[in-house]
Amino acid sequence: MDLADRGDGTTAGGIGRYLLSHLREYGLLFALIAIMVFFQIVTEGTLLKPVNITNLFLQNSYIIIMALGMLVVIVSGNIDLSVGSVMGFVGALAAVMIVEWGWPVALTIPACLVVGIVIGAAQGYWVAYWKIPSFIVTLAGMLVFRGLSLWLLEGQSVGPFPKSFQLLSTGFVPDIFGIGKPNGTALAAGALAVAAIVWMGLKARARNRQYGIEDEPAAFFVTRNLIVAGALLFVTYKLSTFRGLPNVLISMAVLTIVYAFLTENTTLGRRIYALGGNEKAAKLSGIKTERLTFLAFVNMGMLAALAGLIFAARLNTATPKAGFAVELDVIAAVFIGGASMSGGVGKIVGAVVGAFIMGVMNNGMSIMGIGIDYQQVIKGLVLLAAVFFDVYNKHKQA
Amino acid sequence: MTPLLEMRAITKTFPGVKALDRVSLSVREGEIHALVGENGAGKSTLMKVLSGVYPAGSYDGDILYDGRPIAFAGIADSEAKGIIIIHQELALVPLLSIAENLFLGNERAKGGIIDWRDTFRRTEDLLKKVGLSETPATLVDSLGVGKQQLVEIAKALSKDVRLLILDEPTAALSEADSQALLDLLLDLKAHGVTSIIISHKLNEVRRVADTVTVIRDGTTVSTMDARTEDITEARIVRDMVGRDMAHRYPERDRRAGEVILDLRDWNVWHPEHAGRQVIKSANLTVRKGEVVGIAGLMGSGRTELAMSLFGRSYGRNISGEVAIHGRTVDVSTVPKAIAAGLAYVTEDRKSLGLILDETIQRNITLTNLPAVSSNGVITEARETQVAEKYRAAMNIRTPSVFQKVMNLSGGNQQKVVLSKWLFAGPEVLILDEPTRGIDVGAKFEIYGIINGLSAEGKGVIMISSEMPELLGMCDRIYVMNEGALVGELTAAEASQERIMSLIVTD
């Protein structure tokens, strides 16, 4: 009774079996939809109003951007608790550079990103080359950078920022077609995105058939694509009737695509999954595991810095409280998105959807006027439920 | 007189492997019973059945203890009956004191508060019994392996042991420590404790054992009584290894070419214990198309030799020279070793060889991703082609190369590991226990693959604890003991008796 025999069943199996083996991926998508429908109803349509959709993106952009880096860190088998503090610190640094030292925006942004990279490198060095657990190193980093932001701002809020800096977060892409309302760029972008997704899906299916890979049943493929396409068109249409595409949405989308490509299609990404899946085996396969761990933290530092800039630009001020406890939201998003605590498992798209689930819940509950106390409780339970779902699934498959 | 312990027709199967096939064992009260057999014969499995590590119901057969049938659900049950097993890997907590270790899980306490006075007094008594002159507060960490072994025995005594099982207790001990341990066993016997001792060292077996049971391939071969007959080492060895070797190994054209790998004066020290030399000036050569074996007991340093050679993955203060095709090469990191033409197929495929949660395809291409990518971007079609090629060549039985390796049987997993290393394009492959834990059919296939490698002109180093396998496969066999290569035999000279005698008489 060879376990490999069980594999035969899946190829021959029907839709039910396919769904069961991919429950996690579909589950996540359906969970997001269900949560949105729920809040759409209980908020009496406020959730999906154009202005609120725009707000959803603006509010969650920095979480999503950091979730991209956090996914890489978690897949590599580590964790970064310092991202909230680093984000706050870099925001504070930007404020001091621009407002107090009078640096131009064009110089401040790259300088802050470099500072983020250096911070990531400093933490990654201890984790990668001295094998100090990342939990400890980044816990230390969390305290250090929280303290440094306080010191930098001397406990005060610093602002406001010049207009050009605020555009990082609150700017909108102008309508290149000159229609105005609805915004033509937004509509065109939505249509293009849908076309690209469907085209890539079809290409993948053709390839799967060619190599005899277990394929998604046609009905599923069509339904899933219809839902995704419908959702995309719906959201871009709604955005177009307000002010169009926020700049931040573009950066988020581009970064998501870049990181999804990096993790899924490059040797670098493959090696990070290998490192997290089994560090010793990866090392014995000739993979420079220390360097990869180091790079994962460098990358995280850079994205935390970017998030810090965007967050400061959105608030138009840097406060000592900025980024407080944000690391927990970021980490929760990644785990809700299906990453494994032990490393080697997780997808960029999952992390982004996880972040949206958290974002929609935050937003919806705030509209409903649920107190911050209950909000925390509910978010905590959702995280536990998502991870329990993973563990339960794995248990049942074993 | 009814025996203290009687195991009747014990059968235990693991997925794909029958580890024990109707094994019987009978142990009398107050004797020292030696259990001998090759690695993988089933000795440790049998003892795990006895001690409840494999609970009742997971095996077939009966166990009678004191004449009554017993069914243990776990170790706690067997310990309650006074059956205590001391495993090869000691189970002490290094950073706790001797006293704390002795009474771990069995603390001398009233209402949850430990009575240290009583604990220390009892510890002193127990240490006196086993002849260990250390204070109860000494940390286990600071003791040598020999003394730790004594602490384990003291721990067994603290639980009112009736039947003590020792799994290769002297494997890691020096000569003097071994003698002390054997004397202690004889002393315990005088006090009425019955022991079962698993050992490879036949001189020790002869010295202490009253009865010897030989197990081979999961069945009982013979039981000898030292009081009524003379047990010679030659007889034990014959029973241990005597099996039909015809047709178990596929034929191969044996044609060794020029020297590919030349290892000179290789020395390695233990990574943690600074003073311990693990490999002692080893010299070894491998020729083109040659299969070279390394025989030796577990712990003799074979794996350490291989791993230190492969990118210094083990040990420190490594010295010596490696030449491939006559040119000295740098093998100081794994990528450099791979580039120099080495590949190491680990003995521990699950924790060191494979990424279990990944697909077959991704495991195979991991050693040489640049070959399936351009500018760092992986071409999945090319990757799938490579995986399919190896699936066909190695006959990996799987519905698709997108199956997770976790779902494969041991033999098929091993084929994935071999594929992965062939894809790296090595000149010399070091195969560490390539057939461990896989069934007979898959073993034969692996032998065929090894012969194929040799026909292609690769050099193969084969480390194995199964001597028949080495004899059936290798052109030359090095014998390793305590970190040194103590002998080198050609295929014509080699026999199990000669190898065994090189090991046991050292």
Side-chain angles (χ1 to χ4, degrees), chain A residues 1-5 7-8 10-11 207 211-214 261 264-268 270-271 273-275 277-278 280-288 344-345 394, chain B residues 307 310 313 334-335 338 350-355 357-358 362 365-367 369-370 373 376-378 380-381 383-385 397 399 402-403 407-409 412 420-421:
Chain A
M1 73 112 247
D2 191 331
L3 278 173
D5 295 344
D8 280 323
T10 27
T11 25
R207 186 186 148 274
Y211 291 102
I213 304 168
E214 173 192 1
F261 181 79
E264 285 173 36
N265 295 319
T266 66
T267 53
L268 183 72
R270 181 66 60 81
R271 286 171 178 158
Y273 280 91
L275 156 68
N278 186 342
K280 286 180 190 159
K283 200 171 165 78
L284 278 176
S285 301
I287 289 171
K288 292 172 181 152
V345 178
K394 204 160 190 180
Chain B
M307 288 188 71
F310 190 64
S313 301
V334 175
I338 294 174
K350 283 193 174 154
S351 67
L352 299 180
L354 292 167
I355 296 160
D357 223 12
E358 288 276 23
R362 288 178 166 217
T365 55
L366 192 60
T367 49
L369 282 175
S373 55
V377 178
I378 296 171
E380 274 211 65
E383 201 184 1
T384 308
Q385 276 168 0
R397 276 182 285 275
F402 303 98
Q403 187 72 230
N407 298 329
L408 300 179
S409 67
N412 283 308
K420 158 183 166 171
W421 282 112

Side-chain angles (χ1 to χ4, degrees), chain B residues 161-178:
Chain B
V161 61
R162 279 187 74 195
L163 177 59
L164 181 64
I165 304 164
L166 299 120
D167 192 351
E168 301 214 32
T170 60
L173 299 194
S174 69
E175 190 58 31
D177 284 345
S178 298

Side-chain angles (χ1 to χ4, degrees), chain B residues 44-192:
Chain B
S44 295
T45 310
L46 186 66
M47 290 304 104
K48 284 179 180 168
V49 166
L50 172 59
S51 59
V53 173
Y54 300 133
S58 70
Y59 57 86
D60 294 321
D62 301 309
I63 305 177
L64 299 180
Y65 187 66
D66 262 344
R68 278 190 297 276
I70 47 164
F72 296 136
I75 295 192
D77 288 359
S78 64
E79 289 198 345
K81 293 263 182 196
I83 301 176
I84 305 221
I85 185 163
I86 297 177
H87 292 283
Q88 213 171 336
E89 303 87 27
L90 300 177
L92 297 170
V93 185
L95 292 177
L96 290 184
S97 69
I98 294 178
E100 284 166 318
N101 265 290
L102 286 189
F103 293 99
L104 193 63
N106 182 26
E107 291 83 0
R108 306 282 94 206
K110 286 186 194 79
I113 295 164
I114 294 180
D115 182 348
W116 287 110
R117 203 116 141 255
D118 187 37
T119 304
F120 275 58
R121 197 174 46 73
R122 282 168 188 264
T123 303
E124 273 167 11
D125 287 350
L126 289 166
L127 291 183
K128 210 172 287 165
K129 267 191 202 162
V130 298
L132 184 59
S133 51
E134 293 283 346
T135 61
T138 309
L139 290 190
V140 162
D141 198 32
S142 65
L143 302 176
V145 196
K147 287 182 175 176
Q148 290 192 17
Q149 191 76 256
L150 294 179
V151 174
E152 281 272 19
I153 293 176
K155 188 174 171 182
L157 294 179
S158 78
K159 293 175 187 162
D160 296 323
V161 61
R162 279 187 74 195
L163 177 59
L164 181 64
I165 304 164
L166 299 120
D167 192 351
E168 301 214 32
T170 60
L173 299 194
S174 69
E175 190 58 31
D177 284 345
S178 298
Q179 291 308 324
L181 185 84
L182 296 175
D183 286 339
L184 175 60
L185 285 187
L186 291 171
D187 186 45
L188 291 176
K189 179 175 117 174
H191 286 88

